Amino acid sequence: MSPSIKAKNHKYTKEDKLILENYKNIVDAIGQLLGSACEVVLHSFEDLNSSVIYIHNGKKTGRSIGSPVTDKALKIFTDCIDNGTDFADVYFTKNKQNHTMRSTSTIIKNIKGQPIGMLCINLDISTPFDEMMSILLPSQDNSSEDNEHFAINVEDLIISNTLKVKEEVFADNSISTRLKTKEIIHILNTQGIFQLRDAVTKVADTLNISKDVIYLHLRSFKKNN
């Protein structure tokens, strides 16, 4: 490690380490999304000799926790300090198996704006087509779709969710007619809808009921919990 790079490091605080610790969830999330087709690496700049502190699918490059920083990561780190560059453009490289990797890296900073780590994603574009499709497409064990509504605004989110839940509840014959409104409000409450501004008013208008009815049920749910 060069003296100039060593001088740029600093003693990590508890806050620095907590920030990096929280990025482990992001590594896992990306890893679940892209599976065996990618490697996701979390670096800490506290010790460049063993900078890898978390990794998904390290077999892609043969690395594991405790592996050193790469020359590319070192360059991005230096560019961040010298030029303020926070991420690298998508680049291509090859691993030891001669697989082409499409990669990107982004700097992680602390609350003082100091670079403390890096998140790197290496997608193996040499992954066989059938393997890639088995990763991206739902399997027979997980073929059900939980459609997500990409709302254009909060009102759209509240109304669309309310109508969806209403349709599901009214189609469920196991719920008596007398309890259907209560069940709709209960489901919306568990979804967190009533944490949104003006949700009670919007839900009341959509269901054609008074706000008092909603507040009554919400108080009942809170009391029972």
Side-chain angles (χ1 to χ4, degrees):
M1 188 191 310
S2 69
S4 61
I5 292 298
K6 184 180 289 185
K8 292 169 183 173
N9 286 344
H10 69 281
K11 183 67 176 178
Y12 279 21
T13 65
K14 290 182 179 179
E15 288 76 15
D16 294 338
K17 293 179 180 180
L18 180 59
I19 290 171
L20 291 173
E21 185 70 22
N22 289 336
Y23 268 84
K24 292 180 180 179
N25 290 332
I26 299 177
V27 172
D28 289 334
I30 298 172
Q32 287 183 26
L33 180 66
L34 298 175
S36 61
C38 82
E39 175 192 70
V40 190
V41 188
L42 179 61
H43 290 278
S44 168
F45 294 146
E46 186 173 25
D47 182 359
L48 298 177
N49 294 298
S50 56
S51 70
V52 176
I53 60 172
Y54 202 60
I55 191 167
H56 163 80
N57 201 16
K59 64 183 180 181
K60 285 292 181 184
T61 58
R63 290 180 294 175
S64 59
I65 293 175
S67 292
V69 69
T70 65
D71 51 352
K72 181 68 176 180
L74 195 58
K75 182 180 184 305
I76 297 169
F77 175 42
T78 305
D79 284 345
C80 176
I81 295 174
D82 295 341
N83 306 312
T85 305
D86 288 342
F87 63 91
D89 293 332
V90 172
Y91 56 95
F92 292 87
T93 186
K94 288 185 180 294
N95 64 9
K96 292 182 180 180
Q97 290 76 39
N98 205 36
H99 289 193
T100 301
M101 312 283 282
R102 190 174 193 264
S103 306
T104 185
S105 300
T106 186
I107 291 288
I108 301 168
K109 293 183 177 180
N110 63 13
I111 58 175
K112 295 181 180 179
Q114 298 169 312
I116 58 172
M118 182 185 300
L119 180 68
C120 302
I121 306 170
N122 303 309
L123 181 64
D124 184 357
I125 61 176
S126 298
T127 303
F129 180 78
D130 57 345
E131 181 181 341
M132 182 65 79
M133 288 301 98
S134 68
I135 294 170
L136 299 179
L137 296 177
S139 64
Q140 291 182 348
D141 295 333
N142 189 26
S143 59
S144 61
E145 294 184 359
D146 184 10
N147 292 328
E148 181 176 4
H149 180 74
F150 298 99
I152 57 175
N153 53 48
V154 174
E155 182 176 10
D156 177 30
L157 173 62
I158 295 170
I159 294 175
S160 63
N161 257 48
T162 302
L163 291 174
K164 178 183 177 183
V165 172
K166 178 183 177 182
E167 181 180 358
E168 293 172 352
V169 169
F170 272 81
D172 188 346
N173 294 326
S174 67
I175 304 172
S176 67
T177 302
R178 184 174 60 86
L179 295 176
K180 287 189 183 296
T181 297
K182 181 179 180 180
E183 182 64 17
I184 293 170
I185 296 170
H186 178 261
I187 294 173
L188 292 174
N189 186 47
T190 59
Q191 292 177 346
I193 287 295
F194 294 110
Q195 296 183 45
L196 300 172
R197 186 182 304 161
D198 297 328
V200 170
T201 301
K202 296 290 191 301
V203 170
D205 291 343
T206 304
L207 296 178
N208 196 27
I209 60 177
S210 72
K211 292 188 293 183
D212 290 339
V213 171
I214 295 178
Y215 284 124
L216 177 65
H217 288 309
L218 291 178
R219 285 194 296 268
S220 175
F221 300 150
K222 185 176 182 180
K223 181 180 179 180
N224 292 334
N225 287 336

